[in-house]
Amino acid sequence: MGVYAGPVQDLIDELGRLPGVGPKSAQRIAFHLLKVAKEDALRLSHSIAEARDRVAWCQRCFNVSEGDLCGICTDDRRDATVVCVVEEPRDLVAVEKTQEFRGRYHVLQGAISPIEGIGPDQLRVKELLGRLDGEGVTEVILCTNPNIEGEATAMYIGRLVKPLGVRVTRIASGLPVGGDLEYADELTLGRALEGRRDVD
Amino acid sequence: MGVYAGPVQDLIDELGRLPGVGPKSAQRIAFHLLKVAKEDALRLSHSIAEARDRVAWCQRCFNVSEGDLCGICTDDRRDATVVCVVEEPRDLVAVEKTQEFRGRYHVLQGAISPIEGIGPDQLRVKELLGRLDGEGVTEVILCTNPNIEGEATAMYIGRLVKPLGVRVTRIASGLPVGGDLEYADELTLGRALEGRRDVD
């Protein structure tokens, strides 16, 4: 462009690399950062550096962690025999918020996606298999996203884990609570029918 | 929340303060920054600090600038007698892109907005009036946004500048080029009718 002074353009370029931030948003955020109190802008700059400095991956479950093991892996009250497999740390947080799960997690750090060139080797699958024996795991809950990549990943892991004599389950697909049958897409409604349960 | 390790939550909080970044986006961006190569994340951190360090406001027109005066104010080929008044530096860039304007600018750094508690005193209005005499300005083009705040600001400045014997103009409102009459809102179509011009 050349209209902006160098450092402004640099900032816009860097912001534009963030996921979900288009050129217009990048420009808007950049001018916001130039306009707010200097300490507010520097706090963001600092927290990025700080997060990269202090945060690493849990050596067991690959959740974000400040130490070698994350808070969940070091919590003795959690049931070590059930492992919930998720794609990303944010999925782990979503499951935690339900307060329905008291086991441990395994964060794959992605899903199988041939289009993006992500195969099983780029995920933490080997590490999951390594945990099954040592931690006495009896059930693996496949909690990947109900989309093509997530389903493929779940299927792949299921095929690896089942022969080891560990119970493998998959979270249910169906209508969201509070949803409307009329507006459900066919795939979801089909899944809901397929996964019907006996009423007791 | 307490689910994330401290620095991660700090980063999410700081990102969530940016305009147009909601809690979900903040989380997504934070994990992106944790996942990419460390130098990529630090480049963003650095460019924020760098921009705040090196970029200031032009002392004449309040555009962003690395020196006391911005590139446009120091360009002798620009016509100093016409001043285009805009709200933000990004509006200046939008006008520059048209390549229709060869005068100078004045960036108000906002618009009058009673709801947000922004009055004329928070804007660079006084500085604009100060420029009129010294620079031999003969026309002020009010190029604020065609919304309530922008119109109010334009009207306010118009009332101050006109008595000084300077020509005051307002950019035209009307149908966007390539637009469709059928889908235009009534206000815009009304303005387009009101601002109709003789066909020559």
Side-chain angles (χ1 to χ4, degrees):
Chain A
M1 301 245 311
V3 183
Y4 293 119
V8 180
Q9 193 59 48
D10 290 348
L11 178 56
I12 293 174
D13 289 345
E14 289 301 329
L15 289 167
R17 276 188 245 284
L18 299 177
V21 179
K24 286 271 171 193
S25 310
Q27 194 175 312
R28 192 169 158 213
I29 294 173
F31 283 116
H32 169 87
L33 287 171
L34 285 170
K35 223 175 164 185
V36 294
K38 192 171 179 180
E39 62 260 31
D40 289 342
L42 293 185
R43 215 168 44 231
L44 170 60
S45 163
H46 180 251
S47 64
I48 294 169
E50 184 82 357
R52 284 309 301 238
D53 247 21
R54 286 174 52 196
V55 178
W57 308 113
C58 170
Q59 289 308 300
R60 184 187 280 157
C61 77
F62 300 96
N63 182 15
V64 288
S65 170
E66 276 192 83
D68 279 349
L69 291 180
C70 72
I72 292 170
C73 282
T74 50
D75 186 347
D76 291 336
R77 292 163 303 175
R78 313 274 314 202
D79 181 0
T81 64
V82 189
V83 170
C84 179
V85 177
V86 293
E87 294 178 19
E88 301 284 354
R90 59 172 179 262
D91 301 327
L92 181 157
V93 173
V95 177
E96 276 297 285
K97 277 189 186 158
T98 67
Q99 300 192 322
E100 294 277 339
F101 182 68
R102 297 298 303 161
R104 284 188 185 155
Y105 291 90
H106 191 82
V107 182
L108 294 171
Q109 298 196 328
I112 295 171
S113 168
I115 293 171
E116 292 176 55
I118 300 175
D121 293 347
Q122 273 97 59
L123 307 177
R124 302 295 187 171
V125 176
K126 230 177 1 206
E127 289 85 349
L128 171 65
L129 299 177
R131 288 178 64 182
L132 298 181
D133 238 14
E135 296 176 37
V137 176
T138 57
E139 180 178 359
V140 168
I141 304 175
L142 299 172
C143 200
T144 53
N145 287 321
N147 54 24
I148 296 178
E149 291 81 13
E151 294 287 359
T153 310
M155 200 177 288
Y156 178 84
I157 294 176
R159 279 189 193 154
L160 287 177
V161 174
K162 254 189 183 164
L164 306 176
V166 174
R167 186 181 172 205
V168 179
T169 55
R170 175 91 176 103
I171 48 159
S173 274
L175 292 184
V177 176
D180 205 320
L181 211 101
E182 189 185 354
Y183 299 118
D185 63 289
E186 307 91 88
L187 270 175
T188 301
L189 192 50
R191 287 285 190 88
L193 278 169
E194 196 186 308
R196 67 189 180 279
R197 297 206 283 179
D198 289 315
V199 179
D200 31 41
Chain B
M1 299 243 316
V3 181
Y4 293 116
V8 181
Q9 192 57 52
D10 290 348
L11 178 55
I12 294 174
D13 290 346
E14 288 302 328
L15 289 167
R17 277 188 245 282
L18 299 176
V21 178
K24 287 271 170 192
S25 311
Q27 193 175 311
R28 192 170 159 215
I29 294 173
F31 283 115
H32 168 87
L33 287 170
L34 286 170
K35 224 176 163 183
V36 295
K38 191 171 179 180
E39 62 261 30
D40 289 342
L42 292 185
R43 215 168 43 233
L44 170 59
S45 163
H46 180 251
S47 64
I48 294 170
E50 185 81 358
R52 284 311 301 239
D53 246 22
R54 286 175 49 196
V55 180
W57 308 112
C58 170
Q59 290 308 301
R60 185 187 281 157
C61 76
F62 300 95
N63 183 16
V64 287
S65 170
E66 277 192 82
D68 278 349
L69 291 180
C70 72
I72 292 170
C73 281
T74 51
D75 186 345
D76 290 336
R77 290 163 303 175
R78 313 270 322 197
D79 180 2
T81 63
V82 187
V83 170
C84 178
V85 177
V86 294
E87 293 178 20
E88 302 284 353
R90 59 173 178 264
D91 302 327
L92 181 156
V93 173
V95 177
E96 276 298 285
K97 278 187 185 159
T98 67
Q99 303 192 320
E100 294 277 340
F101 182 69
R102 297 299 304 163
R104 285 189 184 153
Y105 292 91
H106 191 83
V107 182
L108 294 171
Q109 299 196 328
I112 294 172
S113 168
I115 292 172
E116 292 177 53
I118 300 173
D121 292 347
Q122 273 97 61
L123 307 177
R124 303 296 186 171
V125 177
K126 229 177 1 205
E127 289 84 348
L128 171 65
L129 299 179
R131 288 178 65 181
L132 298 181
D133 238 14
E135 295 175 37
V137 176
T138 57
E139 179 178 358
V140 168
I141 303 175
L142 299 172
C143 201
T144 53
N145 286 320
N147 53 25
I148 295 178
E149 290 82 12
E151 294 288 358
T153 309
M155 201 178 289
Y156 177 85
I157 294 176
R159 281 192 193 151
L160 287 178
V161 174
K162 256 191 183 161
L164 306 177
V166 175
R167 187 181 170 206
V168 179
T169 55
R170 176 89 176 105
I171 48 159
S173 274
L175 291 184
V177 177
D180 204 322
L181 211 104
E182 187 184 356
Y183 299 118
D185 63 288
E186 306 91 88
L187 270 175
T188 301
L189 193 49
R191 286 283 189 88
L193 278 170
E194 196 187 309
R196 66 190 180 278
R197 297 206 281 178
D198 289 314
V199 178
D200 32 40

